[in-house]
Amino acid sequence: MATEPSATQPVHRAGATGRMEREHIGDAGRTGPATATSLEEGLMASSATHHAAAADEAPPGLLRRAIAAAAIGNATEWFDYGIYAYGVTYISAALFPGSTDQATLFALATFAISFLVRPLGGLFWGPMGDRLGRKAVLALTILLMAGATLCVGLIPSYDSIGFWAPAILIVLRMVQGFSTGGEYGGAATFMAEYAPDKIRGRCGSFLEFGTLAGFSLGAFLMLSFSWALSDAQMQSWGWRVPFLLAAPLGLIGMYLRSKMEDTPVFRELEEKHQKEPAAKTEFRDLLTRYWKPLLLLGGLVVALNVVNYTLLSYMPTYLQTEIGLSADGALVVPLIGMLCMMVFLPFAGSLSDKVGRKPMWRFSLVGLLLTAVPMYLLMSTGIVGAVIAFAVLGLLYVPQLATISATFPAMFPTHVRYAGMAIAYNVSTSLFGGTAPATNDWLIHQTGSNLVPAYYMMAACVVGLLALHFVTETVGCSLRGRHIPGVPLPRFSREGGRFARTGPAAAGAGAGEPALVATRRARDDD
């Protein structure tokens, strides 16, 4: 039997997933029967929303296709990073002038240039994804990424066209950065909004599985070609072949995404005509109403991507140039570590659905903070020590990586989610993540210390811990509606024949102002 709400308590509705939605159910100045009618209408509207949400929950087959459609774009993005990171010595020799060390630094700087453009991509694609839909934008970004990666493999050498070679590479890296500015935020949002609330961590972990799978595939291809071909063949044409393989990856991804409907959460917002009317109003809302999650997400991304790009992108160069491992050894060590990380990603995502996102992040950040220096010292002992050290750091990083797609999109309401995540994520990544390889390389040469990457990671982890302290836990929370998931809604009570705000939200509420009441369906005793 359903319980009746009292006149002095906020009216709630509790579904199986614990979703809470705000509804307009009357004005603060209404009294008597009018108020009761408004309350009844609010409950009916709330109930309808609950049934629509339950009906829109993706069946298992559709959910698997949504996961694949989101993950393949991420795999395509990181496939490019893998072949660039593992082929940087060949790319620098073919497309840049100067000595080997100078050319490598130029190539790493070019890698960083693409990240400087990513915020522009976030500013462009993010609001578009909130107005036109996640699917439409993601179909375009994967084509741009794959096309730019393909063209890198077609650039003539520096000996053939001189400075046009690095200039063309810079332009293509900027195109990649611009498209990536909309890809990751959109893919994470797409994945999170399709996933059921109770298993969002497990579903989201497969987006990062795509990250490591794409990077590992690119790295493995470059490594295989370097083993099969002579050094002269690799420098002449062998390094180009993996770049050319990005084209089929992009086409497969576009096909998968074109066959999907947009997310149930976005379609619900669209049906209610609650989308942002224009990019200008969305930017204003983000800066005035959602500045706190913007800053907090940026702080988490500092830790996330400094570790990410230091471990994955810069590690082969570091092991070869600073530790003295052979070229093949420097490539094999991170590859083994990434394969180990892939095994544990789904388990970490599932665990976050039980214990929460924040405990996973806290364990990862503290673990990396304590072990970074010892593990980098272990790396310097040889290839066995390097494999063990990378595996330890990689496994400590997994709790962050596995929960990105469940944590970051949940920091914003639906109508600004794509733009909020794309902008905050890409600004922070461009400043600290993508520049990490070049920054580490420069600092090592300035200080003469091989422990610079460890210190850099530790500083980033401190920033992440400070941001994490203020982040709201959102495990199990619904992503539907125009309120921030996990943040308590204003409370109301009926006083003197009126519905009035109670608690901190009461300050500044005017009489006659529409009351937003959190409604929750009463549970049936049977």
Side-chain angles (χ1 to χ4, degrees), residues 374-509:
M375 290 304 104
Y376 268 83
L377 289 172
L378 183 58
M379 281 183 200
S380 64
T381 62
I383 189 167
V384 174
V387 169
I388 295 172
F390 187 95
V392 170
L393 293 174
L395 292 177
L396 286 172
Y397 179 56
V398 161
Q400 287 182 59
L401 195 62
T403 55
I404 298 172
S405 302
T407 304
F408 290 175
M411 296 174 72
F412 297 93
T414 305
H415 62 294
V416 296
R417 180 168 294 134
Y418 198 144
M421 182 175 172
I423 293 169
Y425 184 90
N426 287 299
V427 168
S428 186
T429 298
S430 69
L431 294 175
F432 301 100
T435 57
T439 300
N440 279 312
D441 199 64
W442 182 80
L443 287 174
I444 287 172
H445 286 89
Q446 292 298 310
T447 63
S449 173
N450 289 337
L451 293 177
V452 163
Y455 299 141
Y456 198 43
M457 286 171 55
M458 291 171 67
C461 288
V462 170
V463 174
L465 284 168
L466 290 174
L468 184 67
H469 177 74
F470 299 98
V471 171
T472 300
E473 179 61 73
T474 57
V475 63
C477 295
S478 172
L479 299 189
R480 298 175 184 271
R482 290 174 61 95
H483 60 278
I484 299 177
V487 175
L489 300 174
R491 299 177 62 189
F492 296 84
S493 66
R494 184 173 179 176
E495 299 175 355
R498 298 178 177 225
F499 279 98
R501 297 188 184 188
T502 63

Side-chain angles (χ1 to χ4, degrees), residues 82-123:
I83 54 181
Y84 197 95
Y86 275 57
V88 67
T89 54
Y90 300 112
I91 296 168
S92 59
L95 302 181
F96 289 91
S99 66
T100 301
D101 288 342
Q102 290 175 327
T104 299
L105 185 58
F106 287 146
L108 290 173
T110 304
F111 180 82
I113 284 174
S114 67
F115 288 86
L116 300 179
V117 185
R118 284 178 66 154
L120 298 179
L123 289 168

Side-chain angles (χ1 to χ4, degrees), residues 54-103:
D56 279 343
E57 191 169 282
L62 181 60
L63 181 59
R64 285 193 293 269
R65 292 197 297 275
I67 291 172
I72 194 168
N74 219 32
T76 302
E77 173 191 349
W78 281 87
F79 176 80
D80 167 74
Y81 293 154
I83 54 181
Y84 197 95
Y86 275 57
V88 67
T89 54
Y90 300 112
I91 296 168
S92 59
L95 302 181
F96 289 91
S99 66
T100 301
D101 288 342
Q102 290 175 327

Side-chain angles (χ1 to χ4, degrees), residues 129 132-136 190 193-194 260-264 266-267:
L132 302 182
R134 290 55 164 127
K135 169 187 169 180
F190 189 86
E193 291 183 348
Y194 253 109
M260 293 293 301
E261 283 190 305
D262 224 318
T263 70
F266 178 80
R267 294 201 310 270

Side-chain angles (χ1 to χ4, degrees), residues 171-507:
V171 170
L172 291 174
R173 296 300 301 176
M174 292 175 70
V175 172
Q176 288 172 320
F178 184 77
S179 58
T180 303
E183 169 62 33
Y184 188 75
T189 298
F190 189 86
M191 179 89 76
E193 291 183 348
Y194 253 109
D197 299 329
K198 291 183 178 179
I199 58 170
R200 191 159 56 241
R202 186 179 74 187
C203 295
S205 67
F206 287 98
L207 185 64
E208 306 314 319
F209 190 92
T211 294
L212 295 183
F215 194 97
S216 299
L217 177 60
F220 179 76
L221 283 175
M222 191 63 77
L223 187 60
S224 298
F225 276 92
S226 70
W227 284 342
L229 302 175
S230 67
D231 192 61
Q233 289 174 318
M234 277 298 294
Q235 293 192 15
S236 176
W237 57 270
W239 67 269
R240 301 176 182 274
V241 178
F243 284 96
L244 305 181
L245 297 178
L249 273 179
L251 292 175
I252 293 170
M254 188 195 68
Y255 173 80
L256 288 175
R257 290 175 174 182
S258 66
K259 295 298 182 181
M260 293 293 301
E261 283 190 305
D262 224 318
T263 70
V265 175
F266 178 80
R267 294 201 310 270
E268 181 181 295
L269 190 79
E270 196 170 36
E271 290 166 3
K272 292 181 178 180
H273 306 289
Q274 293 180 340
K275 297 188 299 181
E276 288 285 349
K280 181 179 179 180
T281 59
E282 185 165 8
F283 289 139
R284 183 190 64 206
D285 284 350
L286 282 171
L287 293 176
T288 58
R289 300 179 60 189
Y290 306 113
W291 58 268
K292 183 178 178 181
L294 284 173
L295 292 177
L296 294 180
L297 194 152
L300 293 179
V301 172
V302 170
L304 176 80
N305 278 339
V306 166
V307 176
N308 199 349
Y309 292 103
T310 299
L311 278 182
L312 302 186
S313 297
Y314 181 60
M315 188 58 70
T317 302
Y318 175 80
L319 291 176
Q320 185 175 357
T321 60
E322 306 302 330
I323 303 301
L325 292 187
S326 66
D328 289 344
L331 296 175
V332 167
V333 168
L335 192 56
I336 294 173
M338 283 185 286
L339 294 175
C340 293
M341 292 167 66
M342 290 171 65
V343 172
F344 288 95
L345 276 172
F347 297 103
S350 297
L351 182 60
S352 77
D353 289 322
K354 296 179 175 62
V355 304
R357 322 300 183 206
K358 292 184 68 173
M360 302 291 287
W361 272 74
R362 190 174 292 110
F363 171 81
S364 175
L365 291 170
V366 172
L368 290 168
L369 188 63
L370 296 177
T371 61
V373 170
M375 290 304 104
Y376 268 83
L377 289 172
L378 183 58
M379 281 183 200
S380 64
T381 62
I383 189 167
V384 174
V387 169
I388 295 172
F390 187 95
V392 170
L393 293 174
L395 292 177
L396 286 172
Y397 179 56
V398 161
Q400 287 182 59
L401 195 62
T403 55
I404 298 172
S405 302
T407 304
F408 290 175
M411 296 174 72
F412 297 93
T414 305
H415 62 294
V416 296
R417 180 168 294 134
Y418 198 144
M421 182 175 172
I423 293 169
Y425 184 90
N426 287 299
V427 168
S428 186
T429 298
S430 69
L431 294 175
F432 301 100
T435 57
T439 300
N440 279 312
D441 199 64
W442 182 80
L443 287 174
I444 287 172
H445 286 89
Q446 292 298 310
T447 63
S449 173
N450 289 337
L451 293 177
V452 163
Y455 299 141
Y456 198 43
M457 286 171 55
M458 291 171 67
C461 288
V462 170
V463 174
L465 284 168
L466 290 174
L468 184 67
H469 177 74
F470 299 98
V471 171
T472 300
E473 179 61 73
T474 57
V475 63
C477 295
S478 172
L479 299 189
R480 298 175 184 271
R482 290 174 61 95
H483 60 278
I484 299 177
V487 175
L489 300 174
R491 299 177 62 189
F492 296 84
S493 66
R494 184 173 179 176
E495 299 175 355
R498 298 178 177 225
F499 279 98
R501 297 188 184 188
T502 63

